[in-house]
Amino acid sequence: MNIQWYPGHMTKARRMMQEDMKLIDIVIELVDARVPASSKNPDIDTLAAGKARMILLNKYDLADQARTEEWEKWYADKGFFVFKLDARKSGQMKAIVAMIQEACKAKIERDKRRGIINRPVRAMVVGIPNVGKSTFINSFAGKACAKTGNRPGVTKGKQWIRLNKNVELLDTPGILWPKFEDQQVGKRLAMIGSIRDDLLDLSELAVDFIGFMTKFYPGILSGRYDVDEKCDKIELLEQIARVRGCLLKGGMLDTEKASKLLLEDFRSSKLGRITLEFPER
């Protein structure tokens, strides 16, 4: 399965982001804590060169806690300000504002020396589709000021949001990059739902997911579905279909339905807190 998804509006959004970069002081990039590398757009590093950088490990409540702490250190060692985030909760926002101020400390001091006082920090919020940007902004601002949705590509335009006298946010549409050089990246993004399901072979994706789970999180699938994890991956998917009553007319197994069920159980954390990739050692 070759996964690529780069609709036309993403090209336009990237150009707009490049033009707006000169207006902002810090780039806040949301990544999915379950895939902290695969959900980080490599184009942002080029576009945001010279800007203060902040990484929000969003949906950390769905990710393996020990792995998230490893990723937090990994990104901090690369010079990013890093924060573990559940964007649905507004109680963390005070700490994020403090981190934004710390990240832009040099800029704020430079402004003071020039006689510019109380100019708000301007932050651009970026991230791939379905990573939770709009939910983050809504929680941050305390009102529904950005559209939210559980499907990729809801935010299409540009939105400035004044949070308080200290911070202004520029929301941007979620964008991917033109080509996944590593198809494992595309598969991980498909697993978390950042690529539309109707573009995918869900059965193949589910089989890959089963292979990962039996290797790195043994016992979870057998505990959830009462299946034998020693079986072949395809046979294990068939067992899930049988146990969960995913049947076609004539009693044939509906592995497509079982695949959707399995992936949805992962995405909604019914399988527990799982991270699909680990930092480089």
Side-chain angles (χ1 to χ4, degrees):
M1 177 171 55
N2 191 330
I3 298 175
Q4 300 294 340
W5 186 51
Y6 194 71
H9 75 267
M10 290 189 183
T11 302
K12 181 180 177 182
R14 188 188 188 282
R15 282 198 303 267
M16 185 172 66
M17 189 182 298
Q18 188 169 17
E19 292 168 4
D20 291 336
M21 199 63 71
K22 61 181 178 289
L23 304 175
I24 60 98
D25 307 305
I26 181 172
V27 175
I28 301 174
E29 184 171 7
L30 274 77
V31 300
D32 191 305
R34 295 168 296 178
V35 285
S38 293
S39 60
K40 188 179 183 306
N41 187 337
D43 283 354
I44 302 300
D45 292 334
T46 303
L47 293 171
K51 301 292 182 180
R53 301 290 303 279
M54 190 169 170
I55 294 281
L56 300 183
L57 292 163
N58 193 28
K59 304 184 184 181
Y60 88 98
D61 55 306
L62 306 180
D64 185 325
Q65 187 172 354
R67 299 300 184 185
T68 300
E69 290 173 1
E70 291 177 13
W71 279 110
E72 184 179 25
K73 184 179 185 304
W74 193 83
Y75 275 124
D77 288 345
K78 291 184 177 297
F80 293 92
F81 287 81
V82 190
F83 193 91
K84 301 191 294 284
L85 177 72
D86 176 357
R88 299 167 301 175
K89 296 180 179 179
S90 58
Q92 307 161 97
M93 300 310 165
K94 187 175 180 180
I96 293 175
V97 169
M99 186 174 282
I100 292 172
Q101 296 286 318
E102 178 64 25
C104 296
K105 188 175 181 179
K107 176 261 174 195
I108 294 169
E109 293 297 325
R110 195 162 55 246
D111 280 353
K112 286 181 179 178
R113 289 195 296 270
R114 294 172 179 169
I116 304 170
I117 301 173
N118 296 329
R119 176 185 173 274
V121 170
R122 288 182 169 176
M124 178 184 285
V125 182
V126 301
I128 66 169
N130 211 32
V131 79
K133 289 190 299 87
S134 296
T135 301
F136 162 67
I137 288 172
N138 290 345
S139 294
F140 209 171
K143 57 186 178 182
C145 54
K147 295 177 182 177
T148 60
N150 59 2
R151 67 187 190 280
V154 170
T155 307
K156 295 285 180 66
K158 177 169 67 174
Q159 300 183 77
W160 276 104
I161 297 113
R162 182 73 179 263
L163 294 180
N164 51 43
K165 64 179 182 179
N166 296 319
V167 180
E168 290 181 351
L169 292 183
L170 175 60
D171 188 20
T172 58
I175 61 169
L176 293 167
W177 52 106
K179 185 179 181 182
F180 301 132
E181 298 296 338
D182 180 359
Q183 277 298 298
Q184 289 303 313
V185 169
K187 287 181 179 179
R188 292 183 194 116
L189 293 181
M191 287 174 188
I192 66 170
S194 287
I195 297 173
R196 284 169 34 200
D197 282 348
D198 58 358
L199 301 174
L200 305 168
D201 182 334
L202 291 183
S203 294
E204 184 177 336
L205 193 65
V207 167
D208 284 346
F209 178 72
I210 287 169
F212 173 85
M213 290 295 293
T214 53
K215 181 177 181 180
F216 293 104
Y217 292 93
I220 287 182
L221 295 182
S222 59
R224 172 76 177 169
Y225 302 112
D226 192 24
V227 293
D228 181 4
E229 292 190 11
K230 296 178 182 178
C231 291
D232 172 84
K233 292 179 291 186
I234 295 175
E235 187 178 342
L236 211 157
L237 178 60
E238 291 172 347
Q239 282 190 42
I240 293 173
R242 189 175 296 109
V243 168
R244 286 305 168 98
C246 301
L247 303 173
L248 298 167
K249 288 183 179 179
M252 292 183 62
L253 296 174
D254 189 345
T255 54
E256 182 77 7
K257 184 177 180 180
S259 299
K260 290 180 181 178
L261 181 149
L262 173 62
L263 292 169
E264 184 52 40
D265 279 356
F266 160 64
R267 292 168 183 171
S268 61
S269 198
K270 290 178 181 175
L271 299 179
R273 299 178 66 163
I274 293 163
T275 298
L276 295 180
E277 58 188 0
F278 313 139
E280 296 172 357
R281 293 295 188 269

